[in-house]
């Protein structure tokens, strides 16, 4: 059972494994270890569990903060679906989003990402009839790159001596793709800039435009959605709800409002954690799912960080982009308001993605480089049972943390008039984009709320309000320290930083961390 640390529940002093953070990586690691018979304690500083999979409620509405759609779960045979089934005892159910999962809108022109590889190709060829060969080559290249990732990620979990012998061989095919940017690979396939702009129209899913992002990151996202998108039935809060009993079955607990002050290290071995109130919990293994930057800058003793030069490691990577998210509550059912399931990705008509990002970062009054609109109320078949006569919409765009940095020492909801004025300006601009696409919802909004990078920092404890952990540049995939094992005995990492952005990456990180801890082939059990 999820319990609040503030309620002073009856807890043991010692566990098999303690996990800091209850995002997807922490939850997956906890559930898998629980299935191995371990008693696991998950410690979450926020008052609700789930990290980016949690929801929040206001005035008869709810919103999902991080899950907007998941690919590769439609088929019972897909590895992702099998892992979700394993960690939730098959209690987590999925609703298919239908034939068109993403609509890429460049200026006023829409392009449809249609479910199924042959349908996707047909849709793209219909839009770019002269580019048939390039489109076929692109899809083949995405599959080739995605296929190399499994061995690459498994090298992160195998014993270090084995990695030294065969690691280079297992990683080499992956690096062939990961060392190139998305733009380099696409430009080698076609010189049609309009086609490149459309094919990279999901870059917001990992936060870096094509000339900066590693092609391996792009390929993993594109491939992930080729068979369509899905949404958890009952909303993303079902993830914690279905995983919690699996952890509890082995005597484990998820504790919320439970902030860890420091990991206790003795003789280079992690033996427990000290809570903010001074209380100590001990365990054989300690796992951080708090992100590598937060872990190394705030959770480990300074002497340990200096000894292993962990701060030098952090200089090799940088945090991903920050974002604002506008949460809207509307009067009227999704059907009455004609709200689609399909995500909308809206881009300026002029310029490639990188140019649009640069223009915006130099002058925030320039057009948003990307606006993403998601409709959870339409995607979730259970929505109307929970919220009859209501609808919800999320609108997201990228924004530099620096825009709000000067308010970083202020309290949530008490940041002053200037802060609120910036928020209002962004809100109005995002609403203008929404009304262009769905004019029928104007006048139906009864609640609106904008989160900023400071909100993300406050709730998810990412230092600069980043949404995807670390940037997915080519060099990120060359960093040997982004793996479950650390130089500290019995201290491990999990979460999107050791795999890739998003829920699927974080879920898979739980498998890798569990393999590293137990030495067992967890995938064979899944």
């Amino acid at each position: 059972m999820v319990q609040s640390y503030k309620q002073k529940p009856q807890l043991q002093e010692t566990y098999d494994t303690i996990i800091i953070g209850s995002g997807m990586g922490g939850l997956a690691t906890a559930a898998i270890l629980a299935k191995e018979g371990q008693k696991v304690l998950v410690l979450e500083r926020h008052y609700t569990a789930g990290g980016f999979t949690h929801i929040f409620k206001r005035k008869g509405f709810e919103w999902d903060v991080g899950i907007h759609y998941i690919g590769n779960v439609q088929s019972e045979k897909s590895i992702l679906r099998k892992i979700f089934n394993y960690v939730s005892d098959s209690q987590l159910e999925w609703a298919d989003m239908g034939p068109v999962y993403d609509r890429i809108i460049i200026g006023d022109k829409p392009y449809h990402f249609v479910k199924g590889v042959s349908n996707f190709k047909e849709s793209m060829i219909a839009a770019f009839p002269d580019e048939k060969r390039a489109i076929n080559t692109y899809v083949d290249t995405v599959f080739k790159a995605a296929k190399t990732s499994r061995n690459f990620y498994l090298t992160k979990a195998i014993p270090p001596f084995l990695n030294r012998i065969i690691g280079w061989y297992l990683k080499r095919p992956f690096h062939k793709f990961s060392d190139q940017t998305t733009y380099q690979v696409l430009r080698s396939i076609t010189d049609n800039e309009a086609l490149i702009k459309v094919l990279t129209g999901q870059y917001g899913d990992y936060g870096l435009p094509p000339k900066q992002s590693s092609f391996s990151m792009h390929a993993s996202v594109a491939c992930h959605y080729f068979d369509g998108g899905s949404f958890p039935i009952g909303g993303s809060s079902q993830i914690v709800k279905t995983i919690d009993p699996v952890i509890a079955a082995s005597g484990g607990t998820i504790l919320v409002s439970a902030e860890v002050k420091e990991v206790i290290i003795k003789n280079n071995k992690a033996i427990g954690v000290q809570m903010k109130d001074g209380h100590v919990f001990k365990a054989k293994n300690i796992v951080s799912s708090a992100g590598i930057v937060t872990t190394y800058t705030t959770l480990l003793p300074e002497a340990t960080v200096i000894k292993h030069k962990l701060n030098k490691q952090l200089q090799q990577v940088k945090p991903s982009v920050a974002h604002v998210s506008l949460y809207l509550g509307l009067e009227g059912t999704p059907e009455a308001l004609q709200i689609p399931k399909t995500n909308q990705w809206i881009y300026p008509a002029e310029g490639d993605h990188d140019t649009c990002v640069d223009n915006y970062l130099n002058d925030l009054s320039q057009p948003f480089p990307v606006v993403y609109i998601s409709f959870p109320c339409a995607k979730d078949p259970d929505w109307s049972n929970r919220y009859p006569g209501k609808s919800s919409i999320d609108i997201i765009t990228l924004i530099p943390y620096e825009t709000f940095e000067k308010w970083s020492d202020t309290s949530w909801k008490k940041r002053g008039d200037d802060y609120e004025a910036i928020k209002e300006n962004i809100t109005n601009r995002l609403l203008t984009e929404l009304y262009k696409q769905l004019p029928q919802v104007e006048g139906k909004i009864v609640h609106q709320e904008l989160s900023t990078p400071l909100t993300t920092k406050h709730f998810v404890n990412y230092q600069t309000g980043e949404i995807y952990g670390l940037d997915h540049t080519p060099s990120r995939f060359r960093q040997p320290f982004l793996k479950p094992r650390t130089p500290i005995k019995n201290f491990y990492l999990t979460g999107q930083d050791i795999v890739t952005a998003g829920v699927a990456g974080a879920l898979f990180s739980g498998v890798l961390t569990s393999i590293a801890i137990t030495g067992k082939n967890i995938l064979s059990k899944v």
Side-chain angles (χ1 to χ4, degrees):
M1 281 288 292
V2 177
Q3 299 182 69
S4 172
Y5 188 55
K6 284 181 178 169
Q7 310 294 325
K8 303 273 185 278
Q10 290 293 307
L11 295 163
Q12 292 170 242
E13 297 299 306
T14 310
Y15 290 81
D16 294 311
T17 299
I18 291 171
I19 296 175
I20 305 164
S22 69
M24 191 71 251
L27 290 173
T29 308
I32 294 166
L33 294 177
K35 290 205 156 200
E36 292 299 312
Q38 289 202 22
K39 200 167 281 180
V40 183
L41 178 64
V42 181
L43 299 168
E44 171 56 60
R45 66 189 273 285
H46 191 12
Y47 59 74
T48 181
F52 276 117
T53 73
H54 83 269
I55 61 159
F56 71 98
K57 299 185 179 189
R58 298 267 192 281
K59 300 176 184 166
F61 293 97
E62 77 173 39
W63 293 271
D64 307 83
V65 300
I67 289 202
H68 302 107
Y69 63 149
I70 304 275
N72 270 345
V73 290
Q74 292 81 350
S75 161
E76 293 280 351
K77 290 179 183 159
S78 91
I79 186 69
L80 203 62
R81 176 64 180 265
K82 284 178 177 173
I83 300 170
F84 268 123
N85 283 348
Y86 190 69
V87 299
S88 71
D89 275 346
S90 300
Q91 295 304 298
L92 189 57
E93 296 180 298
W94 300 93
D96 194 305
M97 281 172 59
V100 181
Y101 51 96
D102 279 328
R103 181 172 291 118
I104 313 296
I105 301 157
I106 314 277
D108 296 325
K109 196 164 184 312
Y111 301 86
H112 299 104
F113 280 16
V114 188
K115 174 182 169 178
V117 176
S118 54
N119 299 329
F120 174 84
K121 287 183 188 172
E122 271 173 37
S123 173
M124 290 296 103
I125 291 164
F128 297 94
D130 298 339
E131 295 289 330
K132 182 175 180 177
R133 193 163 146 207
I135 290 160
N136 284 321
T137 305
Y138 165 75
V139 171
D140 291 346
T141 310
V142 163
F143 275 119
K144 272 186 204 150
K147 206 173 167 186
T148 64
S149 61
R150 186 175 166 139
N151 280 352
F152 172 77
Y153 290 118
L154 286 177
T155 64
K156 293 173 178 278
I158 60 177
F161 76 91
L162 208 55
N163 210 342
R164 281 195 291 278
I165 301 165
I166 59 164
W168 65 273
Y169 174 76
L170 293 171
K171 291 175 195 165
R172 196 170 57 181
F174 178 86
H175 284 315
K176 198 180 119 188
F177 295 104
S178 71
D179 286 347
Q180 300 183 75
T181 66
T182 305
Y183 184 77
Q184 280 172 325
V185 173
L186 268 82
R187 200 71 173 74
S188 73
I189 294 169
T190 178
D191 55 9
N192 186 319
E193 290 289 339
L195 175 60
I196 292 173
K197 193 169 179 178
V198 171
L199 291 176
T200 54
Q202 296 164 310
Y203 86 79
D205 276 334
Y206 47 89
L208 267 190
K211 289 176 186 172
Q212 296 177 52
S213 61
S214 164
F215 179 71
S216 289
M217 183 66 241
H218 171 81
S220 97
V221 166
C223 192
H224 179 74
Y225 290 115
F226 274 156
D227 285 330
S230 293
F231 194 77
I233 296 174
S236 56
S237 62
Q238 292 303 311
I239 290 176
V240 173
K241 261 184 211 155
T242 55
I243 292 176
D244 183 27
V246 175
I247 296 167
S250 285
T253 304
I254 300 174
L255 265 192
V256 295
S257 300
E259 185 163 358
V260 173
K261 186 182 177 207
E262 193 169 74
V263 177
I264 302 167
I265 312 282
K266 282 229 169 103
N267 302 325
N268 198 42
K269 184 178 175 185
I271 58 166
V273 298
Q274 184 185 16
M275 305 301 286
K276 206 176 172 190
D277 66 1
H279 187 85
V280 169
F281 291 107
K282 294 205 166 171
K284 290 178 207 152
N285 309 299
I286 311 293
V287 179
S288 175
S289 179
I292 195 167
V293 178
T294 300
T295 302
Y296 287 178
T297 55
T298 67
L299 290 175
L300 289 178
E302 197 179 347
T304 304
V305 172
I306 292 165
K307 178 184 175 183
H308 295 294
K309 302 186 171 133
L310 301 179
N311 40 355
K312 287 232 171 83
Q313 291 184 3
L314 294 184
Q315 286 163 17
Q316 307 302 313
V317 288
K318 55 182 227 248
S320 67
V321 69
H323 74 300
V324 291
S325 190
L326 179 60
Y327 299 103
L328 301 175
L330 302 92
E331 214 49 77
T333 64
E335 295 78 15
L337 296 173
Q338 295 170 291
I339 291 178
K341 293 179 186 178
T342 307
N343 303 311
Q344 320 262 2
W345 293 94
I346 302 157
Y347 296 101
E350 300 303 318
D352 62 27
H353 292 310
D354 288 79
T355 305
C356 292
V357 169
D358 289 345
N359 291 345
Y360 174 70
L361 292 181
N362 291 329
D363 176 6
L364 292 182
S365 69
Q366 290 292 310
F368 291 126
V370 51
V371 173
Y372 170 81
I373 311 180
S374 171
F375 310 98
C377 62
K379 295 175 192 177
D380 177 8
D382 188 57
W383 169 270
S384 292
N385 297 329
R386 303 193 314 280
Y387 302 100
K390 303 251 166 84
S391 293
S392 66
I393 296 174
D394 305 339
I395 312 178
I396 298 171
T397 193
L398 311 176
I399 200 153
Y401 174 73
E402 291 72 30
T403 312
F404 299 99
E405 191 171 18
K406 65 176 171 188
W407 291 282
S408 61
D409 293 332
T410 59
S411 301
W412 182 53
K413 297 225 167 191
K414 294 177 187 158
R415 304 200 199 272
D417 292 344
D418 291 350
Y419 177 79
E420 292 302 326
I422 294 178
K423 281 176 64 171
E424 189 178 355
N425 173 266
I426 294 168
T427 296
N428 291 334
R429 288 176 65 189
L430 291 174
L431 286 174
T432 302
E433 295 295 339
L434 172 68
Y435 297 147
K436 265 189 224 163
Q437 307 304 328
L438 273 75
Q440 71 274 21
V441 304
E442 192 163 359
K444 304 290 184 187
I445 295 167
V446 292
H447 182 81
Q448 61 188 49
E449 192 166 334
L450 187 85
S451 75
T452 72
L454 297 184
T455 323
T456 307
K457 185 178 176 179
H458 175 77
F459 286 116
V460 190
N461 203 24
Y462 273 164
Q463 306 299 302
T464 54
E466 60 270 33
I467 183 173
Y468 295 127
L470 305 173
D471 253 351
H472 293 79
T473 57
S475 73
R476 176 234 171 95
F477 293 101
R478 283 284 185 178
Q479 304 309 324
F481 59 85
L482 297 178
K483 61 177 192 276
R485 285 186 188 83
T486 71
I488 304 146
K489 280 188 198 122
N490 299 3
F491 182 69
Y492 299 88
L493 302 172
T494 196
Q496 59 182 358
D497 286 352
I498 66 164
V499 183
T500 60
V503 172
L507 177 73
F508 195 62
S509 77
V511 176
L512 296 182
T513 303
S514 307
I515 293 171
I517 290 171
T518 62
K520 294 179 181 173
N521 180 3
I522 300 295
L523 278 173
S524 69
K525 303 184 178 198
V526 168

